[in-house]
Amino acid sequence: SFLSSLVGYFADDQLAFVQTQHDYRDWENNGYLRGCYGEYRAMYASYMISRSERNAALTTGTMCLIRRQALESVGGWAEWCSTEDSELAIRLHAAGFSGIYLAETHGRGLIPEDFAGYKRQRFRWIYGPTQEFRRHWRLFLPKKWAAQSKLTPVQKVLFAYHGSRDLVTSAASLAMLIWMMILAIDLCLHPSAVSVPMVMIIFLTTSTLLTRIVTFGMLRRAAGFSWQQTCHAMLSEVALTGIAQSAGFAGWLT
């Protein structure tokens, strides 16, 4: 029923694509796969929905229906990009087309069988949007300096965020790591002369806790997970931190 369920949306001549949620099978009886599944669901239960509400939906390839005329009118697929699916969404929106995301399951695929495959997949998913940002950054500037497009200010912010978020978080994490290493060395060499501002300790502790609390609440409410599923998903997210940071930098340096 995939085609018959989605084709009616294309009565709107400006609609370029309909993206449905990614879903998976054969994950229930394995702790690693349960964690991956929960981590995947977080994006589709919140991020994709909120973007669609602001006419900045992404096409993520699988289980997606695209208007061929729109695809051809913006130049087809970007073979230079690791994430040619979400890159297409930028050009379609910039040309004045719209797209929607439906939180519906129409098919189920398989999660990478091991953690190495999971990391390779995530590297590509982060490296690609960074490529997109480097290619299209002029579209996201304020109107006075921007390349010509039909993107609204909200769309510009959301597409810029999609391509730059992991670079920003990677840079911030690296800066924090360097600062902590310098502080640790200084404490060892001059234990009585170094004092850490209490404000900084409170800020770091509070921001870390709030991030985890928000993630936990979102998984519980938006994705409808049990406590155990939520913990599995959050552990998977933390396990990908290193690969996310390296991919964020690699997208700019290579």
Side-chain angles (χ1 to χ4, degrees), residues 33 65 88 118 121 141 143 152 154 180 182 209 234 239 251:
L33 294 177
L65 196 59
L88 174 63
Y118 188 39
Q121 182 189 64
L141 296 175
K143 186 175 181 180
T152 66
V154 171
M180 292 177 67
I182 293 173
L209 286 174
M234 293 182 70

Side-chain angles (χ1 to χ4, degrees), residues 61-80:
T62 307
M63 306 311 298
C64 179
L65 196 59
I66 300 171
R67 186 188 297 272
R68 178 173 177 172
Q69 182 182 11
L71 172 64
E72 293 176 341
S73 72
V74 297
W77 296 105
E79 297 182 8
W80 53 267

Side-chain angles (χ1 to χ4, degrees), residues 59-61 77-88 120-133 135 162 247 250-251 254:
T59 166
T60 50
W77 296 105
E79 297 182 8
W80 53 267
C81 188
S82 297
T83 47
E84 75 291 335
D85 39 21
S86 60
E87 189 280 338
L88 174 63
R120 283 195 299 272
Q121 182 189 64
R122 187 51 49 93
F123 187 95
R124 183 175 64 83
W125 286 359
I126 293 174
Y127 187 90
T130 309
Q131 288 181 297
E132 297 167 22
F133 185 87
R135 176 64 66 94
H162 178 69
T254 64

Side-chain angles (χ1 to χ4, degrees), residues 2 65 157 170 173 207:
F2 176 66
L65 196 59
V157 169
S170 298
S173 298
S207 61

Side-chain angles (χ1 to χ4, degrees), residues 192-221:
S192 60
V194 178
S195 62
V196 181
M198 184 58 64
V199 173
M200 182 171 291
I201 295 175
I202 294 173
F203 171 76
L204 292 175
T205 304
T206 304
S207 61
T208 301
L209 286 174
L210 283 176
T211 299
R212 295 304 166 201
I213 290 170
V214 169
T215 302
F216 187 88
M218 184 270 294
L219 288 169
R220 286 278 289 160
R221 296 292 296 277

Side-chain angles (χ1 to χ4, degrees), residues 24-253:
Y24 302 88
R25 56 184 170 85
D26 300 340
W27 53 268
E28 294 88 345
N29 298 318
N30 181 286
Y32 154 71
L33 294 177
R34 285 198 299 270
C36 295
Y37 180 75
E39 195 271 335
Y40 287 144
R41 287 281 293 129
M43 173 181 172
Y44 286 92
S46 58
Y47 181 68
M48 292 289 285
I49 292 174
S50 64
R51 291 189 66 100
S52 187
E53 290 172 345
R54 290 158 179 79
N55 194 26
L58 295 171
T59 166
T60 50
T62 307
M63 306 311 298
C64 179
L65 196 59
I66 300 171
R67 186 188 297 272
R68 178 173 177 172
Q69 182 182 11
L71 172 64
E72 293 176 341
S73 72
V74 297
W77 296 105
E79 297 182 8
W80 53 267
C81 188
S82 297
T83 47
E84 75 291 335
D85 39 21
S86 60
E87 189 280 338
L88 174 63
I90 297 175
R91 287 183 287 126
L92 288 171
H93 285 288
F97 291 103
S98 63
I100 58 173
Y101 166 72
L102 300 177
E104 301 173 358
T105 295
H106 289 272
R108 291 179 172 84
L110 293 171
I111 295 170
E113 293 182 355
D114 55 34
F115 188 58
Y118 188 39
K119 290 195 295 181
R120 283 195 299 272
Q121 182 189 64
R122 187 51 49 93
F123 187 95
R124 183 175 64 83
W125 286 359
I126 293 174
Y127 187 90
T130 309
Q131 288 181 297
E132 297 167 22
F133 185 87
R134 289 177 62 179
R135 176 64 66 94
H136 297 302
W137 65 270
R138 292 178 182 82
L139 292 173
F140 312 140
L141 296 175
K143 186 175 181 180
K144 182 178 180 180
W145 300 285
Q148 186 175 3
S149 77
K150 296 183 179 180
L151 293 176
T152 66
V154 171
Q155 287 175 318
K156 290 181 179 183
V157 169
L158 290 175
F159 282 118
Y161 170 77
H162 178 69
S164 64
R165 60 178 177 174
D166 288 291
L167 172 70
V168 173
T169 55
S170 298
S173 298
L174 180 62
M176 183 60 64
L177 178 62
I178 292 172
W179 178 81
M180 292 177 67
M181 290 174 66
I182 293 173
L183 180 62
I185 293 171
D186 208 14
L187 281 169
C188 292
L189 296 177
H190 312 287
S192 60
V194 178
S195 62
V196 181
M198 184 58 64
V199 173
M200 182 171 291
I201 295 175
I202 294 173
F203 171 76
L204 292 175
T205 304
T206 304
S207 61
T208 301
L209 286 174
L210 283 176
T211 299
R212 295 304 166 201
I213 290 170
V214 169
T215 302
F216 187 88
M218 184 270 294
L219 288 169
R220 286 278 289 160
R221 296 292 296 277
F225 287 166
S226 66
W227 286 76
Q228 186 180 37
Q229 284 178 303
T230 301
C231 291
H232 270 121
M234 293 182 70
L235 182 60
S236 295
E237 180 189 8
V238 172
L240 289 171
T241 301
I243 202 69
Q245 292 176 358
S246 64
F249 283 118
W252 286 84
L253 300 177

